[in-house]
Amino acid sequence: MAEPSRAASASAPRIEGGRFLIVEARFYDAVSAELLAGATRALDAAGASYDLVSVAGALEIPTGLAIAFDAAASAGRPYDGAIALGCVVRGETFHFEIVAGESSRALMDLSVQRKLALGNGILTTETLAQAHERADPARGDKGGDAARAAIGLALLRRRAAGQ
């Protein structure tokens, strides 16, 4: 598998007091557990707290995210950002393209419309073995990457707001 070049950094970005929402699809339970381990490790390292919401599959992630974000804002406890975690493995039907494309589109729509600091950690792979390779925190760490993306955007929003 080709890996992007990553700049080495002395320390991960910190977002003290940051509050994040993780919405995970548990359709592939073992892959989801690996993604979650990477995401929570990155959030812990950044000094952030998080809440976890589990949904059935990747198509339910955007709706779960929107419901939880609205509820938190109404309760006066808004989130700084969100991390979407899940996995879609290609099968023998067109269903893969629909689930992968529509979940990604809906997340992009939410993030742009709401100016949401979102890390998209929904894997789209050909095989379950590829999913494990990408999800494992010791190898691909895509859950950690998604959390770091959300942290980076939340920090950008804080800087833009002069905080």
Side-chain angles (χ1 to χ4, degrees), residues 25-90:
R26 295 302 295 200
F27 192 83
Y28 293 99
D29 198 52
V31 174
S32 296
E34 292 173 318
L35 289 167
L36 181 60
T40 57
R41 183 175 66 186
L43 290 168
D44 290 341
S49 66
Y50 55 88
D51 292 329
L52 176 64
V53 173
S54 295
V55 296
L59 283 176
E60 290 76 32
I61 290 174
T63 305
L65 191 153
I67 290 168
F69 248 75
D70 289 349
S74 292
R77 293 186 33 85
Y79 292 106
D80 290 294
I83 298 103
L85 302 176
C87 181
V88 185
V89 177
R90 185 177 300 279

Side-chain angles (χ1 to χ4, degrees), residues 12-32:
R14 305 254 328 144
I15 186 161
E16 299 298 335
R19 186 165 177 264
F20 290 81
L21 172 68
I22 300 171
V23 181
E24 63 163 358
R26 295 302 295 200
F27 192 83
Y28 293 99
D29 198 52
V31 174
S32 296

Side-chain angles (χ1 to χ4, degrees), residues 17-18 31 33 36 57 59 64 69-70 78 84 96 98 126 136 151 155 157:
V31 174
L36 181 60
L59 283 176
F69 248 75
D70 289 349
F96 171 88
I98 293 169
E126 296 291 326
D136 183 348
I151 292 164
L155 287 168
R157 185 177 31 233

